[in-house]
Amino acid sequence: MSGRTEGGAVEHCQNQVAHLLPCLLLVLALAIPPTPAFAHASDRGHVLLLPTGYYVAGGALAVAASFLVLALLPPDFPDRFWRRRLPLFAFGDGARATVSLISFAGFAILVAAGLFGSRDPLSNPLPLAIWTLLWVGLVLLQGLLGNLWSWLNPWYGPWRVISSLFGKRKTWRPPPWLGYWPAVVLFFAFAWFELIDPAPDDPARLARAAGLYWLLSFAAMLMFGYRDWSRRGEFLTVFFAMVARFALLERNEVERNEDGRLNLCWPGAKLSDAAPLSLSGIAFLLLALSSVSFDGLSKTFFWLGLFGLNPLEFPGRTAVIGVGTFGLVLMFVLLAAAFIVAIVLGQRLAGSPHSLGQAAGLLLWSIVPIALAYHVAHYLTALLVDGQYAMAALSDPFALGWNLFGTADMRIEAGAAAGAGSAWWLWNFQAGVIIIGHMLAVLVAHGLAWQLHPVPARAALSQFPLTVLMIAYTVFGLWLLATPAAG
């Protein structure tokens, strides 16, 4: 099987619950494309035959109501809301290099397992670790707990070792105009590999790609300096740092001679003092959101039907490389155009003296909770099912009969994402995450708009087009979760 199977090809349901809620039955189907067998278990939701229109309308109304409520509150409400902190405890960075070295060792073992272990992506720990534990689980933890990646990334420890052995080396500082463009290009390559490449789950293929990326990134860090390259060029670090600004925990930075104290804060509080992003930063965040959205759209009956493809006889990813690449670029262009139009209209309604770049760069931070919410909702089923496969595979990384953590023989409970009851609570949770994410985005946008427009009426007017865009994206996100999709 080529590529990633997205939670089964088609789910159907039968009315069995007292005239109100239909039950959902998941049917896992396997597509048969012309490439070797590479599967990736469920990472999409269900074909929802619940009264979807009510969910969509309710979500849109919730986002709209949050805008109206905030417009009636005092203009400095978000600032006073975000300023509150609950100090917890302080800790230094002494163990950071050690943790990173352990992470690097784990990464090296995973790459070796990809090259020499099982060819089955559900038995080999590398595809499961990258596509599920890293790209789903860690993103969720970053959004809840803060920047764990700054400790877990596999580059910092080796860089510290090389720096200690050879002393300080002269590095070239990247020119300011370069901005986040290296991260944008690398993120696009990552998204293309995940969504378009015929076999992103092939363990050996993925091992070569991951190993090469680590080497190129490490060389860039030695050339340009760890801090500069990781914060502008290494796309995972850039993405995780942006997501972490939405977390419930905040740590004072030791690098800035602060005490390293951990504080409990409100979601989005770390966005209150955000500086406007450059054009490259805007492109990066919009690409992050559009790529995940396209991942959902590309499997739908609607999208495949546009190109004359029968979703029940899906020809495989090899046959849709061109269509997929076109769609990935198109989704980014459409989202970027819609965002810029919303900002321009808002600026004109408010009679703003600020430049388009300044307004767009600042208000784009309100997209962070939307990107995080849709990322979690879209990949939730993958985390629930493939996370179990990952636990089993990590106990026997080379398929030699080991049981390092006592989980090699664990029973995989696919019922976590299957069956009528699971489907009902799972979809409601996904819908709730998307709606809450958009409501928090409105809150963030309100606080940032007040920084641009101290006059309350102008701040509210400037937000109106952006809120309309958020409502439209809420509807789109819920529709993606509910519409029929192929594997």
Side-chain angles (χ1 to χ4, degrees):
M1 181 173 302
S2 169
R4 306 171 65 188
T5 60
E6 309 295 333
V10 182
E11 298 99 359
H12 64 280
C13 82
Q14 304 171 347
N15 275 333
Q16 292 181 354
V17 179
H19 311 293
L20 291 176
L21 297 176
C23 295
L24 295 174
L25 297 177
L26 296 175
V27 178
L28 299 177
L30 301 178
I32 308 179
T35 52
F38 301 121
H40 195 72
S42 64
D43 64 305
R44 77 154 269 123
H46 309 85
V47 174
L48 190 74
L49 298 185
L50 292 171
T52 312
Y54 293 111
Y55 282 88
V56 172
L61 289 174
V63 177
S66 63
F67 168 76
L68 294 176
V69 169
L70 287 170
L72 297 174
L73 290 173
D76 62 343
F77 170 76
D79 185 60
R80 291 188 286 109
F81 176 76
W82 280 328
R83 200 181 301 132
R84 298 177 180 177
R85 298 287 193 278
L86 178 62
L88 298 176
F89 54 87
F91 60 94
D93 281 349
R96 183 182 170 192
T98 302
V99 173
S100 177
L101 285 171
I102 295 172
S103 177
F104 168 69
F107 172 76
I109 293 172
L110 288 173
V111 169
L115 293 173
F116 308 112
S118 170
R119 294 296 303 277
D120 179 5
L122 293 180
S123 299
N124 193 296
L126 179 65
L128 295 164
I130 290 181
W131 300 127
T132 302
L133 301 184
L134 174 70
W135 192 233
V136 184
L138 187 57
V139 170
L140 174 60
L141 292 177
Q142 287 276 127
L144 290 175
L145 304 179
N147 200 358
L148 302 175
W149 179 250
S150 65
W151 288 61
L152 293 174
N153 84 77
W155 290 285
Y156 179 74
W159 174 80
R160 284 289 302 271
V161 170
I162 295 297
S163 299
S164 299
L165 291 176
F166 297 99
K168 290 186 178 181
R169 302 172 63 254
K170 182 179 180 180
T171 58
W172 291 288
R173 191 173 185 85
W177 59 264
L178 195 61
Y180 292 97
W181 289 119
V184 173
V185 173
L186 291 169
F187 192 97
F188 181 84
F190 171 81
W192 191 94
F193 183 77
E194 180 198 10
L195 306 178
I196 314 299
D197 186 86
D201 286 337
D202 176 4
R205 186 183 184 90
L206 183 58
R208 288 190 291 268
L212 179 62
Y213 179 69
W214 187 93
L215 289 172
L216 291 176
S217 297
F218 191 64
M221 290 171 184
L222 293 177
M223 181 180 299
F224 298 109
Y226 173 83
R227 181 185 179 90
D228 284 337
W229 185 255
S230 65
R231 297 195 175 191
R232 289 291 184 269
E234 203 287 293
F235 76 92
L236 286 172
T237 302
V238 174
F239 177 74
F240 283 137
M242 289 181 172
V243 168
R245 300 197 72 160
F246 186 65
L248 298 172
L249 295 175
E250 175 188 47
R251 181 170 178 259
N252 300 334
E253 292 192 26
V254 176
E255 294 178 358
R256 297 179 181 176
N257 296 321
E258 297 176 347
D259 59 1
R261 180 167 297 279
L262 197 67
N263 303 301
L264 187 65
C265 60
W266 293 105
K270 289 176 279 188
L271 297 174
S272 61
D273 60 348
L277 285 167
S278 62
L279 177 61
S280 58
I282 294 173
F284 183 88
L285 260 182
L286 291 175
L287 179 61
L289 178 57
S290 63
S291 63
V292 179
S293 298
F294 179 70
D295 189 10
L297 178 65
S298 64
K299 314 299 187 303
T300 63
F301 286 18
F302 167 78
W303 174 260
L304 295 173
L306 290 178
F307 301 94
L309 298 172
N310 183 351
L312 299 180
E313 297 179 359
F314 186 64
R317 291 167 62 133
T318 304
V320 294
I321 289 178
V323 169
T325 303
F326 167 76
L328 183 61
V329 174
L330 179 64
M331 178 66 77
F332 168 75
V333 171
L334 291 178
L335 179 59
F339 176 75
I340 294 301
V341 168
I343 298 299
V344 170
L345 290 177
Q347 292 293 92
R348 290 188 176 182
L349 286 174
S352 174
H354 301 285
S355 67
L356 173 61
Q358 183 179 10
L362 187 61
L363 292 174
L364 185 72
W365 284 110
S366 63
I367 300 293
V368 173
I370 296 176
L372 175 61
Y374 189 73
H375 192 100
V376 171
H378 177 71
Y379 292 118
L380 180 61
T381 52
L383 183 61
L384 293 176
V385 178
D386 290 357
Q388 299 176 67
Y389 281 105
M391 292 175 62
L394 288 171
S395 268
D396 188 13
F398 297 98
L400 297 176
W402 299 350
N403 194 3
L404 300 176
F405 307 111
T407 57
D409 300 320
M410 68 177 292
R411 181 178 178 181
I412 307 301
E413 297 291 343
S422 296
W424 184 89
W425 75 257
L426 184 61
W427 198 88
N428 278 279
F429 181 82
Q430 291 172 311
V433 166
I434 286 181
I435 293 170
I436 291 173
H438 281 76
M439 292 173 66
L440 288 170
V442 172
L443 173 63
V444 172
H446 182 83
L448 297 176
W450 185 67
Q451 294 181 26
L452 293 171
H453 311 285
V455 179
R458 289 188 176 184
L461 284 173
S462 71
Q463 292 176 75
F464 182 73
L466 187 57
T467 302
V468 172
L469 175 61
M470 291 178 180
I471 292 173
Y473 217 88
T474 302
V475 173
F476 178 62
L478 293 175
W479 175 80
L480 283 179
L481 289 178
T483 193

